[in-house]
């Protein structure tokens, strides 16, 4: 609207099949008003008792959360959360069905972003690109201008975790307009070489950090506050949007809430937060430079 770069800052759900009770009016009020977040990433697992077991039910759950985020002035990032198998082509037909449904239903909304594959791994960039070029037209048929985000090689590391880098994408970009590319990191595991590659890529490609953790790549362990701070300082400087894993009370270091929080009714404030949750709430609440005029 104001023709200036913005940075969205928010949180990712955990798997809806496990932590659906964490995503209610009270928790989303806390995210929007107490945390002052711009973004909820809605992580709909496809495998692991996810979408493939009940396509209609999970599609409805995603749409409900899209409505709730819209009502609170936040962006909704719809994550087709594939991880195992790492070849997105395995879920191509499911992706077409799902994205046809959610893009038709939400086409008139201005807050929806589509993430068409979470963490491709063990496959070439050309395989990911081929998948993207089959799924994107399904969305575009309903929603010509929403942002669509494409996963990258090596668990969305721009290829770094499998010995590559962003050159493969720059040299062979997805043939579609208004798209971005995914980068994920876990601060205790991924450090200077990952930061250097993200900075190099960001000068050449539109990048969105749709998932990252303050802990190790397992999603567990202690918060690495030094590395997390270095990462978020970099993302802020480059105006790269991000969603932190995870807005849940999972019994793991990446969770923002202490175990048992989602069984209660209190989400706002700091008493219910873990070390990671406190760290992220502080960062997200820091004033940004969102253009308003």
């Amino acid at each position: 609207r104001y023709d200036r770069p913005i940075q969205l800052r928010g949180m990712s759900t955990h798997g809806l099949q496990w932590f659906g009770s964490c995503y209610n009016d009270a928790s989303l009020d806390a995210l929007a008003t107490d945390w002052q977040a711009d973004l909820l990433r809605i992580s709909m697992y496809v495998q692991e008792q996810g979408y493939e077991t009940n396509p209609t039910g999970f599609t409805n759950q995603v749409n409900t959360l899209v409505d709730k985020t819209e009502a609170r002035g936040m962006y909704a990032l719809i994550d087709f959360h594939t991880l195992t198998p790492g070849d997105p082509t395995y879920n191509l037909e499911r992706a077409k069905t799902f994205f046809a449904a959610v893009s038709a239903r939400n086409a008139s909304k201005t807050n929806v972003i589509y993430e068409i594959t979470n963490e491709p791994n063990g496959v070439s960039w050309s395989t990911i690109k081929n998948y993207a070029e089959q799924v994107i037209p399904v969305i575009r048929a309903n929603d010509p201008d929403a942002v669509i985000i494409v996963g990258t090689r090596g668990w969305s590391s721009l290829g770094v975790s499998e010995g590559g880098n962003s050159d493969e994408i720059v040299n062979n970009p997805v043939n579609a307009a208004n798209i971005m590319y995914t980068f994920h990191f876990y601060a205790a595991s991924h450090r200077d070489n990952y930061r250097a590659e993200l900075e190099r890529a960001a000068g050449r490609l539109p990048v969105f950090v749709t998932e990252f953790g303050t802990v190790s790549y397992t999603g567990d362990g202690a918060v690495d506050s030094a590395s997390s701070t270095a990462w978020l300082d970099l993302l802020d400087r480059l105006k790269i949007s991000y969603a932190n894993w995870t807005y849940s009370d999972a019994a793991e270091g990446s969770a923002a809430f202490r175990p048992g929080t989602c069984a209660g009714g209190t989400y706002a404030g700091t008493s219910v937060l873990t070390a990671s949750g406190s760290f992220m709430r502080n960062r997200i609440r820091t004033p940004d430079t969102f253009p308003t005029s």
Side-chain angles (χ1 to χ4, degrees):
R1 178 179 297 182
Y2 301 113
D3 201 29
R4 283 163 57 192
I6 62 163
Q7 176 198 35
L8 302 180
R9 301 185 296 185
M11 297 294 292
S12 178
T13 71
H14 207 304
L16 301 180
Q17 75 275 38
W18 300 313
F19 294 97
S21 65
C22 293
Y23 313 113
N24 53 54
D25 288 338
S27 72
L28 297 178
D29 284 346
L31 186 62
T33 59
D34 180 52
W35 290 53
Q36 298 168 27
D38 309 309
L39 173 74
L40 178 71
R41 182 194 194 221
I42 303 166
S43 288
M44 187 199 71
Y45 279 67
V46 182
Q47 276 70 53
E48 298 183 64
Q49 293 78 56
Y51 174 83
E52 67 180 3
T53 68
N54 183 0
T56 301
F58 281 97
T59 301
N60 291 342
Q61 194 175 6
V62 168
N63 285 330
T64 296
L65 289 173
V66 168
D67 291 350
K68 287 181 183 292
T69 57
E70 180 185 40
R72 289 160 179 80
M74 291 188 292
Y75 282 85
L77 174 57
I78 299 177
D79 162 32
F80 194 72
H81 198 85
T82 52
L83 177 63
T84 305
D87 184 350
T89 312
Y90 178 82
N91 286 302
L92 177 60
E93 292 310 315
R94 280 180 281 264
K96 288 179 176 178
T97 300
F98 173 73
F99 283 109
V102 292
S103 64
R105 192 258 189 189
N106 298 303
S108 65
K109 297 183 186 296
T110 56
N111 69 314
V112 179
I113 302 169
Y114 299 96
E115 181 178 4
I116 61 173
T117 180
N118 167 54
E119 289 188 351
N121 58 88
V123 293
S124 66
W125 167 244
S126 62
T127 296
I128 302 165
K129 171 179 148 78
N130 180 264
Y131 166 88
E133 288 173 355
Q134 295 181 75
V135 175
I136 291 169
V138 173
I139 299 172
R140 288 284 176 251
N142 296 316
D143 193 330
D145 52 10
V147 172
I148 297 172
I149 307 178
V150 179
T152 61
R153 188 162 67 93
W155 299 274
S156 285
S157 67
L158 296 169
V160 179
S161 290
E162 290 178 346
N165 61 45
S166 57
D167 291 349
E168 64 191 20
I169 304 168
V170 172
N171 294 334
N172 189 23
V174 172
N175 183 24
N178 209 26
I179 62 163
M180 302 182 78
Y181 297 93
T182 312
F183 184 76
H184 290 179
F185 66 86
Y186 279 78
S189 302
H190 307 131
R191 302 176 191 271
D192 290 348
N193 60 317
Y194 285 82
R195 284 189 279 266
E197 180 56 26
L198 176 62
E199 182 155 19
R200 196 174 77 96
R204 309 186 296 166
L205 296 167
V207 178
F208 197 123
V209 173
T210 61
E211 179 185 319
F212 77 93
T214 61
V215 296
S216 84
Y217 72 88
T218 63
D220 208 354
V223 172
D224 187 330
S225 54
S227 181
S228 296
T229 296
W231 270 115
L232 291 176
D233 288 350
L234 177 65
L235 300 185
D236 289 353
R237 176 164 61 82
L238 297 175
K239 289 280 195 293
I240 292 176
S241 299
Y242 63 74
N244 174 254
W245 185 270
T246 159
Y247 199 66
S248 75
D249 65 353
E252 55 191 39
S254 66
F257 296 114
R258 297 173 189 267
T261 298
C262 297
T266 301
Y267 298 90
T270 55
S271 66
V272 293
L273 300 180
T274 63
S276 187
S278 294
F279 179 90
M280 287 311 308
R281 178 178 174 273
N282 284 339
R283 287 297 301 221
I284 291 172
R285 282 168 59 94
T286 305
D288 60 23
T289 54
F290 232 106
T292 54
S293 63

